[in-house]
Amino acid sequence: LYTAPDSCEGRCEEPYSEEDECHCNAECERYRNCCEDYYRHCQPEGFSSSRDAITDEDLLRISEQLYRADHNKARPTDIAINPQYEASPDETDDQEDRSPQPLYKYVNEELFSKPTYASFIKLLDNYQRVTGREEDVTAEELREQDNFLKEVMKTELMKKLFAFLHKKNRYGSEQEFVADLKEMWFGLYSRGDGEQDSSGFEHVFSGEVKKGKVSGFHNWIRFYLLEKQGIVNYFSHNFNGPWDTYPDVLGLQFSWDGFYKEVGSAFIGCSPEFEFGLYTLCFIARPGRACHLSLGSYSLSIQTYPWTKTTYGNGKKYIATAYVISP
């Protein structure tokens, strides 16, 4: 029986081979290189049912802990948004600007002098947004990546995340965790024809343009800074989360220099480490699947996808994308 190399049908517990596109043994969860149908065919004994499993209950518990640990988030008085028009599902793709005012009425920019914000903002201008254009990473940009990782790892939020993943046997040391964060988020791969033109961080936080449309771009700080410059034009929203403090969640439609984003879901008012930490948690715990979390007793899901065409380390996958699933 022939099975495609990207399926686990008939391949459960097959020994690791670097020739395989994806894997079906108990270790694949740890290395984030399982085939997409691994859970359907193999029902693994490995992490999923041992003490190292990250259960659905674990995810609800740790996400509430991270939510409470976001000490750098915006206070209610730091941000005023003006969501204006709520688009119905059949209006999100019609590229019509139904909101004459900007989304952000006010942001207290003192937030941006906090170390994790300041080091995050420095990263945003490091990228060519059009896919197919090789990224030229300078020594200064590499230092900016290291500085951002250093600053986020000082926060209680990221220390809690590391402690959780360490307990679950995903990382042996904080040093190993930081090195892996650098690879999974900042490691370059090709979305085009072989050019090293993309990374998880660029796609998710800074945004890209692919085939004439906005791709990724799920960050509120980036949006605010570009809207203030007149480069981003807010059109409408199709989802407004139930939170009455920050972080909140918005599903929104906008144009970036004439390129359109049909639904750009984003946390509003969270710190950079909150978003970075939650996306990392879900990428490690539920790559390629919906990851169900709880924030302030409200349910929330995050979708991540691994980049399947190239790997690093022992077959580990880069982040292709991560975003909030708005209902």
Side-chain angles (χ1 to χ4, degrees):
L1 176 71
Y2 173 77
T3 57
D6 58 355
S7 169
C8 277
E9 194 171 347
R11 292 178 55 210
C12 297
E13 292 312 310
E14 188 177 87
Y16 175 83
S17 160
E18 61 181 41
E19 321 245 293
D20 292 334
E21 232 174 85
C22 56
H23 306 278
C24 306
N25 55 20
E27 285 287 276
C28 73
E29 261 198 282
R30 179 177 204 161
Y31 291 109
R32 300 188 296 282
N33 55 20
C34 302
C35 300
E36 281 187 19
D37 60 3
Y38 173 61
Y39 299 92
R40 196 165 78 240
H41 291 301
C42 301
Q43 289 297 307
E45 288 303 307
F47 284 122
S48 298
S49 58
S50 72
R51 66 190 173 77
D52 293 336
I54 297 177
T55 65
D56 290 348
E57 292 70 32
D58 286 334
L59 287 172
L60 297 176
R61 196 162 47 245
I62 184 65
S63 54
E64 283 289 1
Q65 288 176 13
L66 299 181
Y67 178 73
R68 286 195 297 274
D70 189 11
H71 306 307
N72 285 327
K73 69 184 176 190
R75 299 180 306 263
T77 52
D78 285 331
I79 298 176
I81 61 170
N82 182 16
Q84 300 163 82
Y85 189 82
E86 183 167 352
S88 64
D90 56 356
E91 289 176 322
T92 58
D93 66 348
D94 64 10
Q95 307 199 23
E96 198 174 317
D97 182 0
R98 295 183 168 91
S99 302
Q101 302 300 316
L103 173 61
Y104 287 92
K105 281 202 282 200
Y106 169 76
V107 171
N108 175 9
E109 293 194 12
E110 281 178 26
L111 279 172
F112 300 160
S113 60
K114 293 181 182 225
T116 58
Y117 285 81
S119 58
F120 173 81
I121 288 168
K122 281 210 164 118
L123 293 167
L124 294 174
D125 64 357
N126 289 355
Y127 299 102
Q128 296 259 9
R129 69 179 179 185
V130 177
T131 57
R133 287 200 192 153
E134 184 99 16
E135 293 295 342
D136 176 25
V137 184
T138 65
E140 185 186 353
E141 288 170 358
L142 288 171
R143 279 196 299 277
E144 288 173 356
Q145 292 171 12
D146 288 335
N147 190 46
F148 172 69
L149 292 169
K150 185 181 85 191
E151 292 300 344
V152 296
M153 287 310 299
K154 290 178 187 172
T155 65
E156 183 193 339
L157 189 152
M158 288 298 285
K159 286 190 184 303
K160 273 193 191 305
L161 176 60
F162 166 69
F164 172 76
L165 294 170
H166 177 61
K167 188 176 162 201
K168 293 293 184 181
N169 203 21
R170 297 306 195 274
Y171 296 100
S173 67
E174 192 172 303
Q175 193 179 0
E176 186 193 341
F177 178 47
V178 173
D180 199 35
L181 285 173
K182 186 166 183 180
E183 285 288 351
M184 75 169 85
W185 279 106
F186 294 104
L188 291 172
Y189 50 80
S190 173
R191 285 184 197 260
D193 300 316
E195 313 87 356
Q196 298 291 85
D197 64 346
S198 189
S199 69
F201 186 91
E202 176 186 5
H203 180 85
V204 172
F205 294 104
S206 187
E208 298 182 294
V209 171
K210 187 176 182 185
K211 295 180 180 166
K213 285 192 168 174
V214 176
S215 179
F217 196 143
H218 297 286
N219 178 255
W220 76 271
I221 300 166
R222 173 74 161 160
F223 188 100
Y224 165 74
L225 292 171
L226 291 180
E227 185 180 60
K228 187 181 164 190
Q229 293 171 39
I231 296 169
V232 156
N233 179 15
Y234 170 73
F235 281 18
S236 54
H237 69 287
N238 61 301
F239 173 74
N240 194 343
W243 293 269
D244 51 14
T245 57
Y246 297 114
D248 200 350
V249 174
L250 207 61
L252 60 162
Q253 291 66 53
F254 62 91
S255 153
W256 176 20
D257 249 356
F259 300 104
Y260 187 64
K261 181 74 177 179
E262 189 176 326
V263 181
S265 62
F267 286 108
I268 309 284
C270 66
S271 68
E273 61 267 26
F274 177 81
E275 215 170 349
F276 191 70
L278 278 199
Y279 291 155
T280 299
L281 168 68
C282 284
F283 184 63
I284 289 167
R286 300 287 185 269
R289 294 185 288 155
C291 172
H292 303 301
L293 308 177
S294 177
L295 303 182
S297 304
Y298 291 108
S299 300
L300 172 99
S301 298
I302 284 172
Q303 177 74 48
T304 64
Y305 286 104
W307 183 253
T308 55
K309 294 177 185 165
T310 41
T311 59
Y312 67 92
N314 190 353
K316 286 189 173 188
K317 301 238 173 99
Y318 299 105
I319 291 175
T321 191
Y323 53 90
V324 181
I325 307 171
S326 55

